[in-house]
Amino acid sequence: MNVANIIFYIWVVINALLFIHVFQELILMFLSFGKRKPNSNQLDETKLPMVTVQLPLYNEKYVVHRLLETVAKLDYPKDKLEIQVLDDSTDETSAIIKEFIGKLNQDSVRFIQIQREDRIAYKAGALAHGMETAAGEFIAIFDADFIPDSQFLRQTLGPFQDPEVGLVQTRWTHINEGSSILTRAQSIMLNTHFGIEQLG
């Protein structure tokens, strides 16, 4: 078998695999269309539930202040909202959190900094540890680099009025999407994953 034949067979295999992948994505795309439903469940303002927001953090000194500031601006009654800062950090992140909470006034949302003696199960362990004292009927989880919209809770709690809904996952957007070709490509891949593959 000469080199030209070997290259041809490799080319055939690669194209066959690409065809299978594209065909699978096409099926997922059609399946995802049937899953797209507008949020018709409006939140009853007279029966707002208690919500716990969990922020699992580990050495996030570069983004933690932005996260705390953003979460503090969530548009939701302060008496029905608690923020658990699940802090497993070993650097100055913990001091930044303490300083931020210390500067809050009496009328601000309630922030609780929770630190563990160990990092068993890492962020999943921190979330489970926080659940032991969480007061919320609903839990919202934001990673350190998230910037939730101020209307996030009001927009996502409505679907839970349907007894068959147990979880709501919202769309990601990207603050650096237009920074380079690489970030644009990454955003396309993530948008495809969340908008088509997961729904499909």
Side-chain angles (χ1 to χ4, degrees), residues 118-147:
D118 53 55
R119 289 195 64 227
I120 292 174
Y122 306 107
K123 285 192 177 182
L127 291 167
H129 182 74
M131 287 293 289
E132 294 172 8
T133 57
E137 180 183 349
F138 292 92
I139 308 294
I141 302 170
F142 300 118
D143 209 355
D145 56 350
F146 281 24
I147 307 174

Side-chain angles (χ1 to χ4, degrees), residues 13-33:
V13 169
I14 290 172
N15 277 279
L17 293 173
L18 282 172
F19 174 79
I20 292 168
H21 174 70
V22 170
F23 186 68
Q24 174 198 358
E25 290 292 312
L26 190 64
I27 292 171
L28 289 173
M29 183 180 73
F30 283 115
L31 290 173
S32 70
F33 287 143

Side-chain angles (χ1 to χ4, degrees), residues 65-113:
H65 196 270
R66 180 184 69 189
L67 173 67
L68 297 174
E69 277 190 332
T70 307
V71 171
K73 294 175 184 172
L74 286 171
D75 178 19
Y76 204 74
K78 305 296 186 251
D79 61 326
K80 294 188 176 286
L81 180 63
E82 72 168 354
I83 314 294
Q84 287 186 340
V85 187
L86 307 172
D87 178 25
D88 282 350
S89 301
T90 57
D91 67 355
E92 53 263 51
T93 302
S94 299
I96 295 169
I97 296 166
K98 282 187 179 120
E99 182 183 359
F100 179 87
I101 293 174
K103 289 180 178 177
L104 292 173
N105 60 44
Q106 295 285 344
D107 299 325
S108 296
V109 63
R110 183 166 50 123
F111 277 79
I112 307 163
Q113 184 176 15

Side-chain angles (χ1 to χ4, degrees), residues 158-174:
F160 287 106
Q161 293 178 111
D162 181 343
E164 293 190 6
V165 173
L167 178 139
V168 171
Q169 179 171 327
T170 60
R171 181 184 175 192
W172 290 10
T173 56
H174 317 278

